[in-house]
Amino acid sequence: MNVFFPVYAFDLLLLALALWAAWLAWTRSRAPFIRVFATVAALLWAFSIAASSWRTYKLGAGLGTASSISSGLTPLEGKTRVCSFCYSGPAGGVYVVAGAKMSHGDYTISRAAHYSLRFADGSVRLAGRSLEPGCYEGDAPAGTRVEIARAREFRLEVGKEASCK
Amino acid sequence: MNLIALEFRKHRVLWALLLLAALLWVSWMIRLATASSQLGALAANMGFLAVLAPAGLLVPVALARSLNSEARGPLAFLLTSPRSGWLHVGIRFFAAFIGLGLYYALLLGLSAWLFGRSGVDFQPWLAVAVWGYGMAALAAPTIMLALVYGLLSAAYRPGKAGQIVAVAGFFGAVGSWSWLVSEAMKLDWLPLLKAPHVVVSASLMRYFGWGRDSLDLQPMFESVFKGVPTAPLFVGVLVFVVFYLAAAYIWEEVEWA
């Protein structure tokens, strides 16, 4: 699911309002100046909404791996069943799944990417291999699975800038 | 002159409230600054400024509302006076601009006085310059925008289209204004004003534990911003002129009665 979906939905709503206003401005007036002025102003608003939407799209495309989050394809797919103080989404130059306490999580790195994985306590499997608590950094091929039986202070970063520092 | 007096009379409650708030605040601050601690007065001043400065926005709101209600009310025929739209819009703008100018002059003057007494040294013209910059770059275009909003929402009577058109037009205008400012900031041939010397005295620095010597804020400011940009000023004047033309044209075109 695209993380910016609510933003796009709201922009679409505003865009509809702006275009409706432009239509009203053009059709409900016979006074030439007001008609042109009001229509142009409403269209300018529509344009600025579209421009801000485009900036949101660029923001989404620049995050995570080369794949664009905005296209609906996050570099990570999956979910955690039980989770407290969790966040999953873009954070700076990487895509992050993090939580204070997590259990029964299952994620798949959907395309080859650089990753870092850190947890303080618990049992986590990376590509079928059990990990000791600590921090791991590396390049994962597409389809790499991260299974979290349970973990404390878990943080998985995917993207060029993912690191254990 | 009659027209200006009429404008002030129309919004007399709002003007009276603003004046009352400003005067109460001035007398209280003077009492605080002369009777008890300087820094306490300065802190209270900054807190109240955060409320009193945005309160000036009530003036453009009242202007837009009054245009709308006058066009709908039983006295709408008065708007079809033989005077030109240029004069009507100009007078409404002028009265609001004068009133807001005095209000902000009072606020800024008192703040400058308090800063000066607390040990922040600057040239007296700085307060005047800040006032002029704010009035030209922010207040004048905002008042004009409110007039355009009120006129647009009244122009599409009868029917409800006016509100939708006016809201969209208003946001379109605000959006293009901010776009113009952000583009004009990139032009390097627009002059940069030299940042003023603002010196925080040694005693104030010691009081806050920032250091032992007095500190000039100018080099700090200039290392980050190079200078004070004039782009918002020029864009503000441009936006004001364009919206004055638009408002006057709209007034001339609308069939008020």
Side-chain angles (χ1 to χ4, degrees), chain A residues 66-125:
Chain A
S67 79
S68 133
I69 291 166
S70 310
S71 66
L73 295 168
T74 56
L76 264 176
E77 284 159 16
K79 61 177 180 178
T80 302
R81 196 154 346 129
V82 185
C83 197
S84 65
F85 289 111
C86 287
Y87 173 74
S88 69
V94 293
Y95 193 90
V96 165
V97 172
K101 266 184 159 180
M102 304 171 91
S103 62
H104 306 293
D106 191 348
Y107 292 91
T108 306
I109 297 175
S110 51
R111 64 210 58 227
H114 192 63
Y115 74 93
S116 78
L117 191 161
R118 175 205 311 261
F119 64 106
D121 193 10
S123 79
V124 173
R125 288 159 73 86

Side-chain angles (χ1 to χ4, degrees), chain B residues 15-232:
Chain B
W15 285 122
L17 281 177
L18 283 181
L19 188 68
L20 191 69
L23 285 182
L24 269 177
W25 172 70
V26 166
S27 62
W28 188 32
M29 284 304 125
I30 289 177
R31 197 181 131 83
L32 260 184
T34 49
S36 66
S37 88
Q38 289 299 316
L39 291 172
L42 194 62
N45 175 50
M46 297 319 282
F48 273 89
L49 261 189
V51 178
L52 286 176
L57 268 179
L58 290 174
V59 172
V61 170
L63 279 189
R65 278 178 57 92
S66 77
L67 262 177
N68 209 348
S69 59
E70 279 164 40
R72 280 170 205 282
L75 297 177
F77 69 92
L78 286 178
L79 290 169
T80 56
S81 73
R83 295 190 199 280
S84 68
W86 303 92
L87 191 63
H88 272 295
V89 175
I91 288 294
R92 277 161 203 258
F93 167 81
F94 189 65
F97 189 75
I98 293 286
L100 271 186
L102 289 175
Y103 179 69
Y104 281 119
L106 202 62
L107 260 60
L108 259 169
L110 186 72
S111 302
W113 180 71
L114 284 171
F115 270 109
R117 273 178 69 100
S118 319
V120 181
D121 285 325
F122 49 86
Q123 299 285 317
W125 57 259
L126 181 61
V128 183
V130 169
W131 177 84
Y133 193 97
M135 291 306 285
L138 214 57
T142 308
I143 296 170
M144 228 7 138
L145 242 131
L147 285 172
V148 169
Y149 176 91
L151 282 166
L152 269 184
S153 77
Y156 280 81
R157 285 168 314 117
K160 289 175 187 137
Q163 284 307 325
I164 299 158
V165 170
V167 165
F170 177 79
F171 280 117
V174 171
S176 0
W177 178 12
S178 76
W179 180 80
L180 274 178
V181 170
S182 66
E183 288 302 306
M185 294 285 265
K186 291 176 197 159
L187 302 175
D188 46 9
W189 48 266
L190 280 177
L192 283 175
L193 300 175
K194 199 163 165 45
H197 285 286
V198 177
V199 182
V200 183
S201 70
S203 63
L204 207 59
M205 292 294 289
R206 274 201 295 276
Y207 178 86
F208 285 112
W210 292 334
R212 298 190 158 275
D213 307 320
S214 63
L215 176 73
D216 190 352
L217 297 180
Q218 191 214 28
M220 288 170 65
F221 182 87
E222 290 206 326
S223 65
V224 183
F225 295 111
K226 279 191 268 183
V228 182
T230 50

Side-chain angles (χ1 to χ4, degrees), chain A residues 17-18 20-22 24-42 44-48, chain B residues 148 152 155-156 160-161 164-165 167-173 175-176 179 242-243 245-247 249-251 253-255:
Chain A
L17 181 63
W20 182 32
L24 282 176
W26 187 260
T27 55
R28 301 291 168 87
S29 178
R30 284 191 304 280
F33 178 76
I34 296 173
R35 177 193 235 186
V36 171
F37 178 80
T39 310
V40 166
L44 276 174
W45 189 37
F47 177 76
S48 77
Chain B
V148 169
L152 269 184
Y156 280 81
K160 289 175 187 137
I164 299 158
V165 170
V167 165
F170 177 79
F171 280 117
S176 0
W179 180 80
V242 167
F243 282 107
L245 295 179
Y249 266 117
I250 292 175
W251 190 293
E253 265 190 10
V254 169
E255 295 174 34

Side-chain angles (χ1 to χ4, degrees), chain B residues 226-247:
Chain B
K226 279 191 268 183
V228 182
T230 50
L233 202 63
F234 290 122
V235 172
V237 171
L238 178 76
V239 166
F240 162 72
V241 169
V242 167
F243 282 107
Y244 180 38
L245 295 179

